[in-house]
Amino acid sequence: MISRPTVGLALGGGAARGLSHIGVLEAFEECGLPIDIIAGTSMGAIIGAMYATEPNAAAVKRRFTAFLQSDVFKESRFDYLIENNHEKAGLFDRLSQFARKSIFYTLLMTRNSFIHQETSSQNFALLIDDIDLAETRIPFCTTALDLVRGERYIFKEGSLRQAVAASCAIPGLLPPVEIEGRFLIDGGWIDAVPVTASRHLGAEVVIGVDVFSDLDPFEQPDSALEVAARAEAVTRWALSNHLCQEADCLLTPEAGSNHWADFSLFDEAVASGRAEVYENLHVLQRLTRKRLRFRRAAAPRGGARKRPA
C-alpha cells in the first residue's frame, strides 16, 4: 500500500522575525508539501493558529497585514522598543533612546507588563478566532512556560485565543495568563521551537522553523541589566539548539538581522521564509514523500514468517 508519514510543522518564536513563518507556509503550498499537524510557540503560535483555523497562507497574510495597520496595534507601541544603531545615531537620537529605556525599565518595576491587559486582549481578538482548539481544521497545539511548576505546558484543548495569548506572553511586555493556579508566559523561554509538542500530536516527521538560530551581536554593555539580559539570551539559545536537534529538518530563515520589535520589514521577513523552504526543498520532499509499505502475510503455523518480496 502507498502512504506517507504524518508531517508536523513546529513554528518557533521570534516576534517580528517570526513573520518568516508566513513565507514558509506560502512555499509549502506552492510546492505541494503536506502539513498534517502544527505546533507553535509565541509568534509561531499566532501564525500557526491562524493557518490551522484557515489553511490558506494568502488569507493569513491579509489578516496580519490588516492587523499591523490597525489602531489597536499602534497603541501597543512596539516601535517604542526598537533600538537605534549607536554608531549612526545622532546626539538627539541617543538621548531619546536613553529616555525610552529609562521609561521602559521604570514601567517594568511598577506593573506586571508594558502592554496593558485590555490592549493585549484586543490584539489577540483581531488575529485569533474565539474557538476551541479542537475546532481547528488542522490539528494544532501551542506551548507556554508554567512559572509555578517550572515546566513546559502544552495546550491541546480549551480556548484557542487564550492558549495563544499564554504562549505569547513575553515577560515584562505582555501580562502572564493565569489558568487554574498556573501563571503562564511565553513558551519560547522553555520551548523555542516546539518539536516535542508536534510529536505529542502524532507527527512522525517534524519540520522545525527557527528564526533565532544565531545569537545577535553583542557590544560593550551600558548597564548590568543588559549583561543579565545577554546571559538569559545565551541560555535560551543553548537550550533551543539542544531541543532543535530532535527535528527531522530545521529551517532557519535569514531574518536574524531584523529587530524583534520591528514589524515594518513584513515583506522581507515573509520572503526569507519562502527562500528557506526552496533552499531545502529536496530535503523536505524526501522527508514527506509517499512511500511503499508492505503488509506482511501471516506465517504458516509452525513455520517462519514470510518476508515481502
Side-chain angles (χ1 to χ4, degrees):
M1 122 179 131
I2 298 177
S3 65
R4 64 167 178 79
T6 302
V7 179
L9 200 57
L11 304 178
R17 299 176 182 178
L19 295 173
S20 300
H21 298 323
I22 297 176
V24 169
L25 294 169
E26 282 185 343
F28 264 62
E29 289 183 354
E30 293 165 2
C31 299
L33 296 170
I35 303 174
D36 302 307
I37 288 167
I38 300 176
T41 290
S42 199
M43 179 55 77
I46 294 177
I47 303 298
M50 294 172 71
Y51 192 80
T53 302
E54 183 177 2
N56 184 304
V60 172
K61 191 174 183 179
R62 285 194 300 270
R63 187 170 182 177
F64 211 102
T65 300
F67 165 69
L68 294 179
Q69 296 170 349
S70 69
D71 291 335
V72 172
F73 174 74
K74 293 174 183 176
E75 289 174 7
S76 300
R77 296 298 308 275
F78 278 94
D79 58 331
Y80 196 85
L81 306 172
I82 301 174
E83 297 180 2
N84 295 323
N85 187 318
H86 285 288
E87 295 179 359
K88 298 180 179 179
L91 176 60
F92 178 78
D93 289 330
R94 289 197 295 271
L95 290 174
S96 176
Q97 184 172 322
F98 177 78
R100 288 200 302 272
K101 278 187 177 181
S102 299
I103 294 171
F104 179 67
Y105 293 155
T106 299
L107 289 174
L108 294 187
M109 297 299 292
T110 57
R111 62 192 198 198
N112 72 349
S113 65
F114 175 72
I115 298 175
H116 285 291
Q117 177 66 60
E118 182 180 357
T119 303
S120 175
S121 297
Q122 290 173 344
N123 275 296
F124 289 114
L126 288 178
L127 291 169
I128 308 299
D129 291 348
D130 190 15
I131 62 175
D132 192 274
L133 276 154
E135 298 178 65
T136 58
R137 292 169 61 184
I138 296 176
F140 172 79
C141 70
T142 184
T143 63
L145 170 59
D146 181 352
L147 292 178
V148 176
R149 296 169 175 80
E151 62 187 16
R152 175 200 295 117
Y153 184 80
I154 301 178
F155 285 92
K156 293 187 285 188
E157 58 185 15
S159 166
L160 177 65
R161 188 178 292 173
Q162 186 179 50
V164 173
S167 186
C168 295
I170 301 173
L173 187 62
L174 293 166
V177 174
E178 183 179 1
I179 301 177
E180 298 178 350
R182 299 176 182 267
F183 286 90
L184 302 169
I185 64 165
D186 192 319
W189 257 250
I190 194 170
D191 202 20
V193 180
V195 176
T196 301
S198 183
R199 296 202 190 278
H200 267 271
L201 280 190
E204 297 173 291
V205 168
V206 178
I207 313 300
V209 185
D210 183 14
V211 299
F212 273 121
S213 55
D214 295 320
L215 275 172
D216 289 334
F218 186 63
E219 301 175 353
Q220 179 69 33
D222 295 326
S223 67
L225 189 58
E226 291 183 358
V227 175
R230 179 62 174 187
E232 178 269 335
V234 171
T235 301
R236 288 178 56 203
W237 175 75
L239 175 61
S240 175
N241 283 345
H242 175 72
L243 295 176
C244 284
Q245 292 177 13
E246 299 300 318
D248 296 284
C249 176
L250 184 66
L251 304 178
T252 56
E254 299 257 340
S257 60
N258 302 344
H259 191 279
W260 64 268
D262 185 2
F263 287 85
S264 67
L265 301 176
F266 183 94
D267 291 336
E268 291 84 348
V270 172
S272 71
R274 291 182 77 257
E276 182 68 6
V277 171
Y278 279 100
E279 186 173 335
N280 293 275
L281 184 56
H282 64 292
V283 176
L284 296 172
Q285 289 174 329
R286 175 175 56 80
L287 288 171
T288 62
R289 69 188 175 193
K290 294 181 179 180
R291 61 194 180 195
L292 290 175
R293 289 181 178 176
F294 295 94
R295 183 174 297 169
R296 296 178 182 272
R301 185 170 297 181
R305 186 178 297 274
K306 293 176 65 177
R307 294 181 180 274

